[in-house]
Amino acid sequence: MTRIYNFSAGPAALPEPVLRQAAEEMLDWHGVGCGVMEMSHRGKEFTSIVAQAEADLRELLAIPDNYRVLFLQGGATQQFAQIPMNLLAGGSADYLVTGTWSKKAYGEAKHLVGALGGAVRLAGSTETAGFTRLLRTEELDLDPRARYLHLCTNETIHGVELREVSRLPDTGVPLVADMSSHILSRPLDIGRYGLIYAGAQKNIGPSGLVVVIVREDLLGHASPVTPTIMDYRVMAENGSMLNTPPTYAIYIAGLVFRWLKAQGGLAAVEANNIAKSDLLYDFLDASDFYDNRVEHDSRSRMNIPFLLRDDALNDAFLAGAKAAGLTQLKGHKSVGGMRASIYNAMPLAGVQALVDYMRDFSARNG
Ligand code: PLP
């Protein structure tokens, strides 16, 4: 068996030890005679799996006691709707638009506001700058009375990441952050946020699962039109199990959390992510053949888009990469060019293999 280096933006590569363990336990988990997929979600075996997953996630992210962890379904996209349903409460919400994903979240909130009541405001956008940087303080138009301020802290398609707490708008209103594509890539100050959510398929596990970390005082404000299953308070009261949860996805997420702890926790994971992204950015910056257009202080460590200066070579680049075992490098169609997604599971050796290939390709075609 040969495993390729998979640079997909998501669903993305998972740590190999996690997949091996899941394969070993597929038919018989811990001697109970069946696999996790076949277990009752109410039984003591699965209850222990979910409790351990939550405990490990809390330890990794140092989640304070006044935050609830929810394992929900419908991906991050469902949260675009669930957030205004639960938090708008007839008031106004601010949205920052720094790329495709925050623009979609804003669009969904606007779509729902007629039914929910209240208002949704665009509090800042970098669209005219081509989504190549973070917002600057002077570009923000923040409402100090907003129910919440929504932002996406890592724009997967444009490769723009807000990492430093000092770059977060200091408005005093609850920050609601889409961290789908960089959660668990470094330590976080959870207390700075009201709600964090992340679709699982990059740094957590199988797609469809979405993890929500929400401060307790934000529960219980859902609009009356909110379906019961989408009410955070109801889900929190029912341990994310009002209905049958995505059991297998939660189990894999739990294995990933344990793997992250075995790496030395998130400080060690961050050091590795810095080494990986520096390797690729340093190479790109030294090259005349390739180009990354994101401003330096806004560059993502997880998703690195780049262009070949001669885009007529794109197909040959991708074909050669695939032959070298480096896959899923095609950029999103809205941006073009290439994108290397280098989440936690991508080893430094994978990024080195990519850089070696890119150097060789430019030498042959430059
Ligand atoms: N937010 C971000 C930052 C994403 O990268 C994605 C998708 O990959 C989504 C939201 C949508 O996630 P999902 O497909 O799980 O709904």
Side-chain angles (χ1 to χ4, degrees):
M1 182 195 68
T2 314
R3 278 184 56 86
I4 38 116
Y5 287 123
N6 172 5
F7 292 91
S8 166
L14 281 167
E16 205 171 305
V18 165
L19 296 174
R20 287 190 188 284
Q21 184 174 346
E24 266 172 35
E25 295 177 345
M26 178 70 88
L27 299 180
D28 181 8
W29 182 83
H30 295 203
V32 301
C34 74
V36 175
M37 225 180 302
E38 309 161 286
M39 282 177 189
S40 163
H41 59 296
R42 310 267 179 217
K44 70 175 185 337
E45 292 83 7
F46 186 72
T47 314
S48 75
I49 288 173
V50 92
Q52 190 61 50
E54 176 171 343
D56 287 340
L57 182 64
R58 283 187 173 276
E59 186 182 329
L60 281 165
L61 285 170
I63 301 176
D65 288 345
N66 63 327
Y67 284 75
R68 303 298 291 263
V69 173
L70 307 177
F71 294 108
L72 305 180
Q73 314 192 40
T77 303
Q78 186 160 297
Q79 294 308 306
F80 297 166
Q82 221 166 322
I83 286 161
M85 283 176 165
N86 279 273
L87 304 185
L88 199 52
S92 178
D94 279 355
Y95 277 73
L96 303 181
V97 170
T98 51
T100 301
W101 291 110
S102 51
K103 190 175 174 184
K104 278 186 198 270
Y106 171 59
E108 184 68 353
K110 294 251 298 179
H111 168 66
L112 287 170
V113 78
L116 295 174
V120 171
R121 292 173 68 247
L122 183 62
S125 168
T126 55
E127 186 155 18
T128 54
F131 295 136
T132 52
R133 60 172 172 79
L134 294 168
L135 276 156
R136 299 178 180 134
T137 312
E138 63 274 17
E139 292 172 319
L140 300 177
D141 168 26
L142 300 173
D143 174 4
R145 289 177 314 282
R147 295 271 189 214
Y148 64 89
L149 171 65
H150 181 281
L151 71 165
C152 175
T153 45
N154 189 63
E155 291 283 359
T156 321
I157 291 175
H158 293 89
V160 170
E161 180 173 16
L162 189 154
R163 224 170 10 238
E164 288 135 48
V165 172
S166 60
R167 298 290 299 260
L168 280 174
D170 198 7
T171 62
V173 313
L175 297 179
V176 173
D178 178 355
M179 296 198 182
S180 296
S181 47
H182 71 161
I183 195 163
L184 296 168
S185 66
R186 64 186 166 91
L188 264 184
D189 182 1
I190 301 281
R192 287 288 278 116
Y193 302 87
L195 184 148
I196 290 168
Y197 65 103
Q201 63 271 28
K202 295 111 174 13
N203 268 340
I204 297 178
S207 58
L209 173 68
V210 54
V211 174
V212 174
I213 302 167
V214 56
R215 216 173 57 208
E216 273 169 356
D217 61 285
L218 296 175
L219 302 173
H221 306 289
S223 153
V225 303
T226 306
T228 313
I229 187 95
M230 294 176 85
D231 185 329
Y232 293 139
R233 181 183 59 80
V234 176
M235 274 310 211
E237 284 171 0
N238 287 276
S240 306
M241 293 200 212
L242 181 71
N243 67 331
T244 317
T247 54
Y248 201 74
I250 294 171
Y251 156 71
I252 298 286
L255 296 184
V256 170
F257 301 154
R258 217 176 315 154
W259 176 79
L260 289 168
K261 282 172 62 179
Q263 305 307 296
L266 297 190
V269 168
E270 178 178 38
N272 196 34
N273 286 328
I274 291 172
K276 289 179 331 189
S277 52
D278 280 357
L279 178 61
L280 184 47
Y281 281 123
D282 288 350
F283 171 74
L284 288 168
D285 289 343
S287 158
D288 299 329
F289 191 87
Y290 304 100
D291 189 17
N292 168 285
R293 302 212 169 139
V294 180
E295 290 191 7
H296 282 233
D297 72 347
S298 311
R299 286 172 158 184
S300 169
R301 287 187 191 141
M302 297 281 103
N303 309 99
I304 305 185
F306 60 92
L307 301 171
L308 275 62
R309 289 199 200 265
D310 177 2
D311 64 10
L313 292 170
N314 282 356
D315 288 345
F317 177 90
L318 288 167
K322 192 168 178 203
L326 310 166
T327 69
Q328 308 271 355
L329 283 160
K330 191 169 182 181
H332 191 272
K333 58 183 181 307
S334 62
V335 175
M338 309 297 154
R339 171 177 48 171
S341 293
I342 52 173
Y343 299 119
N344 289 340
M346 173 62 65
L348 183 64
V351 182
Q352 186 64 60
L354 174 62
V355 166
D356 291 346
Y357 168 72
M358 289 170 70
R359 186 178 290 113
D360 179 59
F361 186 85
S362 59
R364 282 187 284 112
N365 295 280

Short mmCIF file of all heavy atoms in Angstrom, two decimals, residues 145-192:
data_model
loop_
_atom_site.label_atom_id
_atom_site.label_comp_id
_atom_site.label_asym_id
_atom_site.label_seq_id
_atom_site.Cartn_x
_atom_site.Cartn_y
_atom_site.Cartn_z
N ARG A 145 -23.45 47.76 20.21
CA ARG A 145 -24.64 47.12 20.77
C ARG A 145 -25.00 45.84 20.04
O ARG A 145 -26.05 45.24 20.31
CB ARG A 145 -25.83 48.08 20.74
CG ARG A 145 -25.72 49.25 21.74
CD ARG A 145 -26.88 50.22 21.63
NE ARG A 145 -27.19 50.58 20.23
CZ ARG A 145 -26.48 51.44 19.51
NH1 ARG A 145 -25.44 52.05 20.05
NH2 ARG A 145 -26.80 51.70 18.26
N ALA A 146 -24.15 45.43 19.10
CA ALA A 146 -24.48 44.22 18.32
C ALA A 146 -24.62 43.01 19.25
O ALA A 146 -23.95 42.92 20.28
CB ALA A 146 -23.39 43.96 17.30
N ARG A 147 -25.50 42.10 18.88
CA ARG A 147 -25.64 40.86 19.67
C ARG A 147 -24.37 40.02 19.56
O ARG A 147 -24.01 39.30 20.47
CB ARG A 147 -26.80 40.02 19.15
CG ARG A 147 -28.12 40.68 19.32
CD ARG A 147 -28.74 40.32 20.67
NE ARG A 147 -30.10 40.81 20.67
CZ ARG A 147 -30.72 41.27 21.72
NH1 ARG A 147 -30.12 41.28 22.89
NH2 ARG A 147 -31.95 41.70 21.64
N TYR A 148 -23.73 40.09 18.38
CA TYR A 148 -22.47 39.37 18.18
C TYR A 148 -21.78 39.92 16.96
O TYR A 148 -22.39 40.61 16.14
CB TYR A 148 -22.70 37.85 18.06
CG TYR A 148 -23.52 37.40 16.85
CD1 TYR A 148 -22.92 37.12 15.62
CD2 TYR A 148 -24.91 37.25 16.95
CE1 TYR A 148 -23.68 36.69 14.53
CE2 TYR A 148 -25.67 36.83 15.87
CZ TYR A 148 -25.05 36.55 14.66
OH TYR A 148 -25.80 36.14 13.59
N LEU A 149 -20.49 39.61 16.87
CA LEU A 149 -19.70 39.95 15.68
C LEU A 149 -19.18 38.64 15.10
O LEU A 149 -18.46 37.90 15.77
CB LEU A 149 -18.52 40.86 16.07
CG LEU A 149 -17.48 41.12 14.98
CD1 LEU A 149 -18.07 41.90 13.82
CD2 LEU A 149 -16.28 41.88 15.56
N HIS A 150 -19.56 38.36 13.85
CA HIS A 150 -19.15 37.10 13.21
C HIS A 150 -17.93 37.33 12.33
O HIS A 150 -17.86 38.33 11.59
CB HIS A 150 -20.29 36.54 12.34
CG HIS A 150 -19.93 35.24 11.68
ND1 HIS A 150 -19.15 35.16 10.55
CD2 HIS A 150 -20.21 33.96 12.03
CE1 HIS A 150 -18.98 33.89 10.22
NE2 HIS A 150 -19.61 33.14 11.09
N LEU A 151 -16.97 36.42 12.41
CA LEU A 151 -15.82 36.47 11.52
C LEU A 151 -15.33 35.06 11.23
O LEU A 151 -15.66 34.12 11.96
CB LEU A 151 -14.69 37.33 12.12
CG LEU A 151 -13.91 36.81 13.32
CD1 LEU A 151 -12.64 37.63 13.49
CD2 LEU A 151 -14.72 36.89 14.61
N CYS A 152 -14.58 34.92 10.16
CA CYS A 152 -13.95 33.64 9.83
C CYS A 152 -12.45 33.84 10.03
O CYS A 152 -11.85 34.67 9.36
CB CYS A 152 -14.26 33.24 8.39
SG CYS A 152 -13.39 31.74 7.87
N THR A 153 -11.87 33.10 10.98
CA THR A 153 -10.47 33.36 11.33
C THR A 153 -9.46 32.65 10.42
O THR A 153 -8.27 32.91 10.53
CB THR A 153 -10.21 32.99 12.81
OG1 THR A 153 -10.82 31.71 13.05
CG2 THR A 153 -10.82 34.03 13.75
N ASN A 154 -9.95 31.78 9.56
CA ASN A 154 -9.05 31.24 8.51
C ASN A 154 -9.87 31.00 7.26
O ASN A 154 -10.71 30.10 7.23
CB ASN A 154 -8.36 29.95 8.96
CG ASN A 154 -7.28 29.53 7.96
OD1 ASN A 154 -6.30 30.24 7.77
ND2 ASN A 154 -7.47 28.41 7.29
N GLU A 155 -9.64 31.83 6.26
CA GLU A 155 -10.37 31.72 5.00
C GLU A 155 -9.67 30.66 4.14
O GLU A 155 -8.62 30.90 3.54
CB GLU A 155 -10.42 33.06 4.28
CG GLU A 155 -11.29 34.10 4.97
CD GLU A 155 -12.80 33.88 4.75
OE1 GLU A 155 -13.18 32.92 4.04
OE2 GLU A 155 -13.58 34.68 5.30
N THR A 156 -10.30 29.50 4.06
CA THR A 156 -9.71 28.31 3.44
C THR A 156 -9.37 28.53 1.97
O THR A 156 -8.38 27.99 1.46
CB THR A 156 -10.73 27.15 3.55
OG1 THR A 156 -11.36 27.22 4.82
CG2 THR A 156 -10.06 25.81 3.38
N ILE A 157 -10.21 29.27 1.26
CA ILE A 157 -10.01 29.43 -0.19
C ILE A 157 -8.96 30.50 -0.48
O ILE A 157 -8.10 30.31 -1.34
CB ILE A 157 -11.37 29.77 -0.86
CG1 ILE A 157 -12.27 28.52 -0.78
CG2 ILE A 157 -11.18 30.25 -2.30
CD1 ILE A 157 -13.68 28.73 -1.29
N HIS A 158 -9.00 31.59 0.28
CA HIS A 158 -8.07 32.69 -0.02
C HIS A 158 -6.76 32.62 0.75
O HIS A 158 -5.83 33.37 0.45
CB HIS A 158 -8.78 34.04 0.22
CG HIS A 158 -9.89 34.24 -0.77
ND1 HIS A 158 -11.17 33.80 -0.53
CD2 HIS A 158 -9.90 34.77 -2.02
CE1 HIS A 158 -11.92 34.06 -1.59
NE2 HIS A 158 -11.18 34.65 -2.50
N GLY A 159 -6.70 31.73 1.75
CA GLY A 159 -5.44 31.56 2.49
C GLY A 159 -5.12 32.75 3.37
O GLY A 159 -3.96 33.14 3.50
N VAL A 160 -6.17 33.32 3.99
CA VAL A 160 -6.00 34.48 4.88
C VAL A 160 -6.34 34.05 6.31
O VAL A 160 -7.43 33.54 6.55
CB VAL A 160 -6.92 35.64 4.43
CG1 VAL A 160 -6.95 36.75 5.46
CG2 VAL A 160 -6.49 36.17 3.07
N GLU A 161 -5.41 34.25 7.23
CA GLU A 161 -5.62 33.79 8.60
C GLU A 161 -5.43 34.91 9.62
O GLU A 161 -4.45 35.66 9.55
CB GLU A 161 -4.62 32.65 8.91
CG GLU A 161 -4.76 32.10 10.33
CD GLU A 161 -3.89 30.88 10.59
OE1 GLU A 161 -2.95 30.61 9.82
OE2 GLU A 161 -4.17 30.18 11.59
N LEU A 162 -6.36 34.97 10.55
CA LEU A 162 -6.22 35.88 11.68
C LEU A 162 -5.77 35.04 12.87
O LEU A 162 -6.49 34.17 13.33
CB LEU A 162 -7.56 36.56 11.99
CG LEU A 162 -7.51 37.70 13.00
CD1 LEU A 162 -8.66 38.67 12.77
CD2 LEU A 162 -7.56 37.22 14.43
N ARG A 163 -4.54 35.28 13.29
CA ARG A 163 -3.94 34.41 14.30
C ARG A 163 -3.74 35.12 15.62
O ARG A 163 -3.97 34.58 16.67
CB ARG A 163 -2.59 33.91 13.78
CG ARG A 163 -2.37 32.48 14.03
CD ARG A 163 -1.19 31.92 13.32
NE ARG A 163 -0.34 32.88 12.71
CZ ARG A 163 -0.04 32.90 11.42
NH1 ARG A 163 -0.55 32.02 10.61
NH2 ARG A 163 0.79 33.80 10.95
N GLU A 164 -3.27 36.36 15.54
CA GLU A 164 -2.93 37.05 16.79
C GLU A 164 -4.15 37.64 17.44
O GLU A 164 -4.92 38.35 16.81
CB GLU A 164 -1.92 38.16 16.51
CG GLU A 164 -0.54 37.62 16.19
CD GLU A 164 0.06 38.34 15.01
OE1 GLU A 164 0.01 39.57 15.00
OE2 GLU A 164 0.54 37.65 14.10
N VAL A 165 -4.29 37.36 18.72
CA VAL A 165 -5.43 37.88 19.48
C VAL A 165 -5.50 39.39 19.34
O VAL A 165 -6.58 39.98 19.27
CB VAL A 165 -5.31 37.44 20.95
CG1 VAL A 165 -6.35 38.10 21.82
CG2 VAL A 165 -5.45 35.93 21.05
N SER A 166 -4.34 40.04 19.24
CA SER A 166 -4.32 41.50 19.15
C SER A 166 -4.98 42.01 17.86
O SER A 166 -5.36 43.16 17.78
CB SER A 166 -2.88 42.01 19.21
OG SER A 166 -2.15 41.46 18.13
N ARG A 167 -5.14 41.13 16.89
CA ARG A 167 -5.80 41.55 15.63
C ARG A 167 -7.32 41.38 15.70
O ARG A 167 -8.02 41.76 14.77
CB ARG A 167 -5.26 40.74 14.43
CG ARG A 167 -3.79 40.89 14.14
CD ARG A 167 -3.43 42.26 13.59
NE ARG A 167 -4.07 42.62 12.34
CZ ARG A 167 -3.51 42.56 11.15
NH1 ARG A 167 -2.28 42.12 11.03
NH2 ARG A 167 -4.13 42.95 10.05
N LEU A 168 -7.81 40.78 16.79
CA LEU A 168 -9.26 40.61 16.91
C LEU A 168 -9.89 41.95 17.26
O LEU A 168 -9.38 42.66 18.13
CB LEU A 168 -9.60 39.63 18.03
CG LEU A 168 -9.50 38.14 17.72
CD1 LEU A 168 -9.72 37.35 19.00
CD2 LEU A 168 -10.51 37.72 16.68
N PRO A 169 -11.01 42.29 16.63
CA PRO A 169 -11.68 43.55 16.98
C PRO A 169 -12.07 43.52 18.45
O PRO A 169 -12.59 42.53 18.94
CB PRO A 169 -12.92 43.55 16.09
CG PRO A 169 -12.71 42.47 15.09
CD PRO A 169 -11.70 41.52 15.62
N ASP A 170 -11.78 44.62 19.17
CA ASP A 170 -12.06 44.67 20.59
C ASP A 170 -13.34 45.47 20.80
O ASP A 170 -13.30 46.66 21.07
CB ASP A 170 -10.87 45.34 21.30
CG ASP A 170 -10.89 45.04 22.78
OD1 ASP A 170 -11.73 44.22 23.20
OD2 ASP A 170 -10.08 45.64 23.50
N THR A 171 -14.48 44.82 20.65
CA THR A 171 -15.74 45.56 20.65
C THR A 171 -16.54 45.35 21.93
O THR A 171 -17.49 46.05 22.19
CB THR A 171 -16.66 45.09 19.51
OG1 THR A 171 -16.94 43.71 19.75
CG2 THR A 171 -16.04 45.25 18.17
N GLY A 172 -16.18 44.35 22.69
CA GLY A 172 -16.98 44.04 23.88
C GLY A 172 -18.21 43.19 23.57
O GLY A 172 -18.89 42.74 24.48
N VAL A 173 -18.50 42.95 22.28
CA VAL A 173 -19.65 42.09 21.97
C VAL A 173 -19.12 40.67 21.74
O VAL A 173 -17.94 40.49 21.42
CB VAL A 173 -20.46 42.59 20.74
CG1 VAL A 173 -20.73 44.08 20.85
CG2 VAL A 173 -19.78 42.27 19.42
N PRO A 174 -19.96 39.65 21.92
CA PRO A 174 -19.46 38.28 21.74
C PRO A 174 -18.92 38.06 20.32
O PRO A 174 -19.58 38.41 19.34
CB PRO A 174 -20.71 37.41 21.98
CG PRO A 174 -21.62 38.26 22.81
CD PRO A 174 -21.37 39.68 22.36
N LEU A 175 -17.72 37.51 20.26
CA LEU A 175 -17.14 37.17 18.94
C LEU A 175 -17.58 35.76 18.58
O LEU A 175 -17.48 34.85 19.40
CB LEU A 175 -15.62 37.23 18.99
CG LEU A 175 -14.98 38.58 19.30
CD1 LEU A 175 -13.46 38.44 19.35
CD2 LEU A 175 -15.39 39.61 18.25
N VAL A 176 -18.06 35.60 17.37
CA VAL A 176 -18.49 34.30 16.86
C VAL A 176 -17.57 33.95 15.70
O VAL A 176 -17.55 34.67 14.69
CB VAL A 176 -19.97 34.36 16.41
CG1 VAL A 176 -20.37 33.06 15.72
CG2 VAL A 176 -20.87 34.64 17.61
N ALA A 177 -16.78 32.89 15.85
CA ALA A 177 -15.71 32.63 14.88
C ALA A 177 -15.85 31.29 14.19
O ALA A 177 -15.96 30.25 14.85
CB ALA A 177 -14.35 32.73 15.57
N ASP A 178 -15.81 31.33 12.86
CA ASP A 178 -15.71 30.12 12.06
C ASP A 178 -14.22 29.75 12.01
O ASP A 178 -13.43 30.43 11.36
CB ASP A 178 -16.26 30.40 10.65
CG ASP A 178 -16.13 29.19 9.72
OD1 ASP A 178 -15.53 28.18 10.12
OD2 ASP A 178 -16.63 29.30 8.58
N MET A 179 -13.86 28.69 12.72
CA MET A 179 -12.45 28.24 12.76
C MET A 179 -12.28 26.90 12.04
O MET A 179 -11.34 26.15 12.34
CB MET A 179 -11.99 28.10 14.21
CG MET A 179 -11.97 29.39 14.97
SD MET A 179 -10.95 29.24 16.45
CE MET A 179 -11.18 30.87 17.15
N SER A 180 -13.21 26.62 11.11
CA SER A 180 -13.22 25.29 10.47
C SER A 180 -11.85 24.83 10.01
O SER A 180 -11.48 23.68 10.19
CB SER A 180 -14.16 25.29 9.26
OG SER A 180 -15.48 25.53 9.66
N SER A 181 -11.09 25.73 9.38
CA SER A 181 -9.88 25.24 8.72
C SER A 181 -8.59 25.54 9.47
O SER A 181 -7.51 25.32 8.93
CB SER A 181 -9.81 25.77 7.28
OG SER A 181 -10.08 27.15 7.23
N HIS A 182 -8.70 26.00 10.75
CA HIS A 182 -7.45 26.06 11.52
C HIS A 182 -7.60 25.72 13.00
O HIS A 182 -6.62 25.84 13.76
CB HIS A 182 -6.70 27.38 11.32
CG HIS A 182 -7.35 28.57 11.97
ND1 HIS A 182 -6.66 29.74 12.22
CD2 HIS A 182 -8.61 28.78 12.40
CE1 HIS A 182 -7.48 30.62 12.78
NE2 HIS A 182 -8.65 30.07 12.91
N ILE A 183 -8.78 25.29 13.40
CA ILE A 183 -8.92 24.90 14.81
C ILE A 183 -7.91 23.79 15.13
O ILE A 183 -7.58 22.99 14.24
CB ILE A 183 -10.37 24.43 15.13
CG1 ILE A 183 -10.58 24.39 16.63
CG2 ILE A 183 -10.69 23.08 14.47
CD1 ILE A 183 -12.02 24.36 17.07
N LEU A 184 -7.38 23.80 16.31
CA LEU A 184 -6.42 22.79 16.79
C LEU A 184 -5.06 22.87 16.12
O LEU A 184 -4.22 21.98 16.27
CB LEU A 184 -7.00 21.37 16.67
CG LEU A 184 -8.23 21.09 17.54
CD1 LEU A 184 -8.91 19.78 17.14
CD2 LEU A 184 -7.86 21.03 19.02
N SER A 185 -4.81 23.96 15.36
CA SER A 185 -3.49 24.11 14.75
C SER A 185 -2.54 24.86 15.68
O SER A 185 -1.35 24.98 15.38
CB SER A 185 -3.60 24.86 13.42
OG SER A 185 -4.03 26.19 13.62
N ARG A 186 -3.05 25.38 16.80
CA ARG A 186 -2.25 26.15 17.75
C ARG A 186 -3.10 26.35 19.01
O ARG A 186 -4.33 26.17 18.97
CB ARG A 186 -1.89 27.51 17.15
CG ARG A 186 -3.10 28.35 16.91
CD ARG A 186 -2.81 29.63 16.19
NE ARG A 186 -4.02 30.22 15.70
CZ ARG A 186 -4.78 31.09 16.36
NH1 ARG A 186 -4.43 31.49 17.55
NH2 ARG A 186 -5.88 31.56 15.83
N PRO A 187 -2.48 26.77 20.12
CA PRO A 187 -3.29 27.05 21.31
C PRO A 187 -4.21 28.25 21.04
O PRO A 187 -3.91 29.11 20.19
CB PRO A 187 -2.25 27.41 22.38
CG PRO A 187 -0.96 26.86 21.87
CD PRO A 187 -1.03 26.92 20.37
N LEU A 188 -5.31 28.32 21.78
CA LEU A 188 -6.31 29.40 21.58
C LEU A 188 -6.68 30.00 22.92
O LEU A 188 -6.70 29.28 23.92
CB LEU A 188 -7.59 28.77 21.05
CG LEU A 188 -7.90 28.74 19.59
CD1 LEU A 188 -9.29 28.13 19.42
CD2 LEU A 188 -7.87 30.12 18.99
N ASP A 189 -7.05 31.27 22.92
CA ASP A 189 -7.61 31.86 24.12
C ASP A 189 -9.14 31.83 23.98
O ASP A 189 -9.75 32.77 23.48
CB ASP A 189 -7.08 33.30 24.28
CG ASP A 189 -7.60 33.96 25.55
OD1 ASP A 189 -8.35 33.30 26.30
OD2 ASP A 189 -7.25 35.14 25.77
N ILE A 190 -9.74 30.74 24.41
CA ILE A 190 -11.18 30.53 24.20
C ILE A 190 -11.99 31.67 24.81
O ILE A 190 -13.02 32.09 24.27
CB ILE A 190 -11.63 29.19 24.82
CG1 ILE A 190 -10.85 28.02 24.20
CG2 ILE A 190 -13.14 28.99 24.70
CD1 ILE A 190 -11.30 27.56 22.88
N GLY A 191 -11.51 32.19 25.95
CA GLY A 191 -12.25 33.21 26.67
C GLY A 191 -12.47 34.49 25.86
O GLY A 191 -13.30 35.32 26.22
N ARG A 192 -11.73 34.66 24.76
CA ARG A 192 -11.92 35.85 23.90
C ARG A 192 -13.17 35.72 23.01
O ARG A 192 -13.57 36.67 22.35
CB ARG A 192 -10.70 36.06 23.00
CG ARG A 192 -9.49 36.57 23.71
CD ARG A 192 -9.63 38.05 24.12
NE ARG A 192 -9.32 38.98 23.02
CZ ARG A 192 -10.19 39.83 22.45
NH1 ARG A 192 -11.43 39.86 22.84
NH2 ARG A 192 -9.81 40.64 21.49
#
